[in-house]
Amino acid sequence: MNNNEIVQKLWNLCNVLRDDGITYHQYVTELTYILFLKMLKEKENEELIPVEYRWDSLVSKDGTELWNHYRQLLLDLGTKGNKLVKSIYTSASTNITQPKNLEKIIKSIDDLDWYSAKEEGLGDLYEGLLEKNASEKKSGAGQYFTPRPLINVMVKLIDPQPGELCNDPAAGTFGFMIAADAHVRSKTDDYWDLEDKKIDFQKKQAFSGIELVQETHRLALMNAMLHGIEGEIEYGDTLSSIGKNFREMDVILTNPPFGTKKGGERPTRDDLTYVSSNKQLNFLQHIYRALHTRGTARAAVVLPDNVLSQDGDGQKIRADLMDKCNLHTILRLPTGIFYAQGVKTNVLFFTRGKIEEGNTKEVWFYDMRTNMPSFGKRTPLTDDHFTGFIAAYTAEDRNKIMDDRWARFTREEIAAEGDTLDLGLIADDALSSYEDLPDPLESVEEAVGKLERAISLFNEVAKELKAAEEGH
């Protein structure tokens, strides 16, 4: 049994809980509580858990006794054990009200092919579960999940290196950092090429994040643990004073939440030059300020179209970004790739400069939005869709790339447009096809002309007929 089959079996167990009125997202959280204990057993790492709450304590009980034991377990693990355990189980409670349902889930999980799961990777299994949750519209979890192919291309092009501090200030389920860790591992033979001290840094310090939503924070902790990452994942708001603690980063990879702060409230940070009710603009400021100024710190961030064009503070923040950083590339993403349908997004790639002004000389745009397939479940986004963009991005001489989707704008040209970055979209074939249709006004004028000529001809024929009659 492979991981995909195990994920499907785990997902199907959600049907057991329908009578308890449990949502998909609640189910994944509930599964996390239970799977954490099972996976610690499989990883032979149960010393993190008090003996009375280890996996065998669940499978040895049934019915009401099991349900009462499980409820007490959730309560106690939020206050006992090490920091990781307490973080995952903080304020934990169960939504399962039927003891028989809990028993069925635990016994079903215990019966799965865990040997195969370990061979393929418990972390990959858990990420498969998170992706399944995100793809279900009813779960509402799509906002926390960035499509894997997009994460892959962002990580590949930013190219995190061993020894670098990497951060995601809107961590979600920690997908960006897990992909960054995998990227560095691929460069170092799974860290075997590194000295012990550097291996310890990679596992405990290299990858960090902040997540605002407690339920999602639990999932991030679980995901990181299963991938062998012990870096700090803070529970809190990046746009509060917490965000000020994450500075001097080498790499930032992130997809900040869409929308505005509740009630239009401003961030509580006192170190942002331009405060706004637009969360993405505030996140953007945090990101380029959190990068160090030694000339190599870099970021890739997913942002909606309004960040590229909003007036007022938006215009000032874009100008500040282009001063402090070399904003060298913007990828205009297609619609339909996120589970919030219709959202128009982009990826901004930039490097923090050593100086505070004049770092952006030109910005290259790649249009992956216009004349693209309609993405969704039937046509999923894949790594292959980024082939053209990667070729353009990595070219030694970008001017030699012959691709209609690839366009350059100088800083002066952008300034002349009021510092808007809503640029680089090519002509839409669906619109240009209308150019081949006759102009409605021209059609009317032509019809009137034909009618006038017909009337004139009719009048001439009538005159000739009348003259002929008179001549008779």
Side-chain angles (χ1 to χ4, degrees):
M1 183 182 294
N2 61 35
N3 272 353
N4 287 337
E5 292 172 321
I6 295 175
V7 166
Q8 191 58 52
K9 279 183 173 291
L10 287 171
W11 195 250
N12 289 341
L13 289 174
C14 186
N15 296 328
V16 175
L17 302 180
R18 282 183 176 175
D19 291 340
D20 280 320
I22 291 178
T23 67
Y24 285 114
H25 199 55
Q26 288 173 331
Y27 172 61
V28 172
T29 301
E30 199 86 52
L31 264 189
T32 297
Y33 298 151
I34 298 171
L35 282 175
F36 181 78
L37 301 173
K38 176 60 176 173
M39 289 180 172
L40 285 183
K41 179 178 177 63
E42 296 300 325
K43 291 167 69 74
E44 299 181 354
N45 197 22
E46 287 190 288
E47 66 272 9
L48 297 179
I49 300 290
V51 175
E52 65 270 25
Y53 292 135
R54 293 176 185 176
W55 180 252
D56 288 344
S57 74
L58 294 175
V59 294
S60 64
K61 296 177 176 60
D62 53 29
T64 303
E65 181 188 10
L66 170 62
W67 188 66
N68 288 331
H69 174 73
Y70 178 63
R71 291 171 62 201
Q72 191 63 45
L73 175 154
L74 295 180
L75 184 64
D76 287 351
L77 291 185
T79 57
K80 297 179 181 179
N82 71 359
K83 181 181 178 182
L84 172 63
V85 173
K86 287 190 287 188
S87 295
I88 288 180
Y89 290 95
T90 295
S91 303
S93 62
T94 182
N95 291 290
I96 301 173
T97 60
Q98 299 294 324
K100 63 179 181 180
N101 290 342
L102 176 64
E103 181 179 338
K104 183 170 183 178
I105 287 173
I106 288 173
K107 294 199 181 305
S108 297
I109 288 174
D110 197 49
D111 290 339
L112 289 173
D113 182 2
W114 289 100
Y115 177 81
S116 297
K118 285 189 289 185
E119 287 294 303
E120 291 200 35
L122 295 178
D124 290 343
L125 168 63
Y126 190 68
E127 278 208 280
L129 190 64
L130 295 178
E131 186 168 11
K132 185 74 174 174
N133 186 39
S135 68
E136 292 289 342
K137 292 182 180 180
K138 293 180 181 179
S139 78
Q143 60 182 310
Y144 307 119
F145 198 90
T146 306
R148 190 65 51 212
L150 178 56
I151 289 178
N152 290 342
V153 74
M154 290 169 66
V155 170
K156 177 179 180 178
L157 297 179
I158 288 296
D159 193 20
Q161 298 295 311
E164 290 189 321
L165 288 171
C166 304
N167 179 261
D168 183 347
T173 56
F174 216 52
F176 275 109
M177 294 299 97
I178 285 167
D181 171 63
H183 180 81
V184 178
R185 285 178 182 273
S186 71
K187 289 174 164 288
T188 58
D189 191 18
D190 203 24
Y191 292 155
W192 283 103
D193 294 345
L194 302 180
E195 301 170 0
D196 289 346
K197 186 176 180 180
K198 292 182 178 179
I199 294 174
D200 192 63
F201 171 84
Q202 289 303 130
K203 291 183 177 180
K204 296 180 179 179
Q205 298 179 54
F207 306 103
S208 63
I210 311 173
E211 174 51 42
L212 175 62
V213 180
Q214 188 173 55
E215 295 304 314
T216 309
H217 181 247
R218 297 185 209 277
L219 306 185
L221 291 171
M222 175 79 162
N223 211 6
M225 183 271 290
L226 292 174
H227 285 89
I229 299 174
E230 301 174 34
E232 183 178 7
I233 307 177
E234 183 78 48
Y235 168 50
D237 186 358
T238 297
L239 301 180
S240 72
S241 59
I242 291 173
K244 295 166 66 174
N245 299 325
F246 291 80
R247 294 180 178 274
E248 294 297 302
M249 295 296 164
D250 294 284
V251 168
I252 294 179
L253 292 151
T254 190
N255 177 10
F258 303 149
T260 59
K261 287 186 74 68
K262 292 180 180 179
E265 63 187 273
R266 303 280 170 148
T268 56
R269 291 276 291 270
D270 59 6
D271 62 332
L272 301 182
T273 305
Y274 309 101
V275 293
S276 170
S277 61
N278 184 317
K279 285 194 293 189
Q280 295 86 27
L281 288 172
N282 294 323
F283 264 102
L284 181 57
Q285 288 184 88
H286 162 81
I287 291 162
Y288 64 75
R289 289 173 176 275
L291 297 170
H292 67 66
T293 57
R294 299 189 291 276
T296 58
R298 56 212 182 275
V301 52
V302 180
L303 293 167
D305 275 13
N306 66 65
V307 169
L308 305 187
S309 59
Q310 184 170 315
D311 293 333
D313 287 336
Q315 181 178 3
K316 295 174 184 176
I317 291 167
R318 290 191 299 275
D320 193 39
L321 167 67
M322 288 185 281
D323 265 340
K324 290 182 169 60
C325 303
N326 176 17
L327 174 62
H328 51 81
T329 312
I330 295 179
L331 172 62
R332 309 303 301 264
L333 289 169
T335 57
I337 64 172
F338 290 99
Y339 299 108
Q341 290 296 318
V343 175
K344 295 182 178 179
T345 55
N346 315 269
V347 183
L348 276 61
F349 295 85
F350 51 88
T351 302
R352 181 70 192 254
K354 294 182 179 180
I355 57 177
E356 295 289 290
E357 295 182 353
N359 281 288
T360 298
K361 307 300 182 186
E362 61 185 18
V363 182
W364 287 87
F365 292 79
Y366 194 89
D367 180 8
M368 257 185 73
R369 181 180 303 170
T370 312
N371 303 327
M372 291 291 286
S374 178
F375 290 101
K377 277 193 173 183
R378 293 185 178 180
T379 309
L381 185 71
T382 67
D383 291 349
D384 290 342
H385 287 113
F386 292 96
T387 301
F389 170 62
I390 292 172
Y393 185 102
T394 57
E396 289 187 18
D397 186 349
R398 290 183 164 192
N399 291 291
K400 291 183 178 180
I401 295 296
M402 305 300 291
D403 189 334
D404 290 341
R405 297 184 180 278
W406 191 230
R408 179 180 72 98
F409 291 82
T410 66
R411 181 68 184 90
E412 291 74 23
E413 290 172 329
I414 294 170
E417 295 291 333
D419 281 335
T420 182
L421 293 170
D422 191 8
L423 305 167
L425 294 175
I426 61 178
D428 191 330
D429 288 345
L431 296 177
S432 61
S433 63
Y434 286 109
E435 295 173 3
D436 299 328
L437 298 176
D439 186 319
L441 293 178
E442 290 181 2
S443 298
V444 171
E445 290 174 0
E446 185 178 348
V448 170
K450 288 181 179 180
L451 180 60
E452 288 177 343
R453 288 192 295 275
I455 292 172
S456 177
L457 180 61
F458 175 79
N459 288 336
E460 288 178 9
V461 171
K463 286 180 181 179
E464 290 178 3
L465 288 173
K466 186 177 182 180
E469 289 178 356
E470 291 175 350
H472 236 303

